């Protein structure tokens, strides 16, 4: 497991903070910064954080642009699907700057989130292919709903008790919907 205990140094600068963050080794005996030697050999920890936040911001902007495309009506559903899916892909790639691509793939493929991750990635790919080649609005909406649900389920797996809370919320919402329909 990774240790995030701070290491005290005389300088107290950003590089010292980085050293404290990455001084704990991953179980393979390799620090986060070591993982980037072949991919981004000259980026500092601060630059990696900036890159991560920039990618996340770009992902959110693409999601927002997709939402704006929906204001144009159902004929713009393919644009929405493409923007939304590209936004998700870029947002996921953003975390690779922070935890590293190898560690991210390991986290994504852990048994607890393997199925949700596969569904999420599969629906992103299918959504993009459909939006760009065969844009049937109803099918795209179905793919987006599955993509969004898989994203929520995948994300909840990173929060202690997240899926349990999500199940309880879904159960309460479904009971409320049934009561609403019966009244």
């Amino acid at each position: 497991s990774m240790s995030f205990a701070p290491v005290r140094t005389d300088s107290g600068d950003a590089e010292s903070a980085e050293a404290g963050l990455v001084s704990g080794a991953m179980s393979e005996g390799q620090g986060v910064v070591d993982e980037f030697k072949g991919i981004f050999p000259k980026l500092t920890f601060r630059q990696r954080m900036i890159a991560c936040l920039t990618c996340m911001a770009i992902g959110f902007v693409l999601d927002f642009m997709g939402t704006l495309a929906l204001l144009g009506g159902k004929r713009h559903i393919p644009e929405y699907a493409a923007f939304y899916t590209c936004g998700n892909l870029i947002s996921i790639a953003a975390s690779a700057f922070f935890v590293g691509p190898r560690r991210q793939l390991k986290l994504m493929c852990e048994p607890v989130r393997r199925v949700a991750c596969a569904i999420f990635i599969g629906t992103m790919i299918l959504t993009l292919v459909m939006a760009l080649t065969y844009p049937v609005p109803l099918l795209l909406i179905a793919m987006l709903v599955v993509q969004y649900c898989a994203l929520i389920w995948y994300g909840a797996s990173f929060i202690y008790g997240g899926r349990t809370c999500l199940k309880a919320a879904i159960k309460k919402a479904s009971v409320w919907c049934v009561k609403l329909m019966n009244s």
Side-chain angles (χ1 to χ4, degrees):
S1 74
M2 191 166 214
S3 168
F4 290 96
V7 175
R8 296 297 256 175
T9 61
D10 295 331
S11 63
D13 60 7
E15 296 300 318
S16 299
E18 175 186 353
L21 179 65
V22 298
S23 64
M26 291 193 287
S27 57
E28 301 86 37
Q30 192 176 34
V32 173
V33 170
D34 291 340
E35 189 173 327
F36 289 100
K37 291 289 186 213
I39 302 171
F40 307 111
K42 296 185 188 235
L43 290 182
T44 65
F45 180 75
R46 184 169 192 245
Q47 290 169 328
R48 292 177 201 290
M49 290 304 294
I50 290 169
C52 175
L53 293 173
T54 301
C55 282
M56 289 181 76
I58 291 169
F60 290 136
V61 167
L62 288 172
D63 287 347
F64 182 70
M65 288 172 61
T67 303
L68 290 178
L70 277 182
L71 296 176
K74 76 176 191 176
R75 69 172 195 250
H76 293 284
I77 289 175
E79 289 88 352
Y80 169 72
F83 277 124
Y84 178 76
T85 302
C86 287
N88 280 342
L89 287 168
I90 291 172
S91 293
I92 287 175
S95 62
F97 282 103
F98 185 64
V99 299
R102 188 176 313 139
R103 175 102 171 112
Q104 181 174 354
L105 284 174
K106 278 187 169 187
L107 289 170
M108 291 170 76
C109 293
E110 285 181 352
V112 70
R113 61 186 65 93
R114 187 177 297 150
V115 173
C117 180
I119 292 170
F120 181 51
I121 290 172
T123 55
M124 283 193 295
I125 291 167
L126 285 172
T127 303
L128 270 178
V129 169
M130 286 174 52
L132 299 173
T133 61
Y134 190 69
V136 177
L138 191 58
L139 288 175
L140 284 172
I141 289 171
M143 295 303 294
L144 289 167
V145 168
V146 173
Q147 185 182 141
Y148 190 71
C149 291
L151 171 63
I152 291 172
W153 193 250
Y154 170 77
S157 72
F158 286 99
I159 301 166
Y160 178 75
R163 287 184 171 175
T164 302
C165 290
L166 191 58
K167 285 178 190 176
I170 291 169
K171 186 175 181 178
K172 283 187 179 196
S174 63
V175 168
W176 180 80
C177 287
V178 167
K179 284 181 182 179
L180 185 67
M181 294 168 96
N182 290 331
S183 59

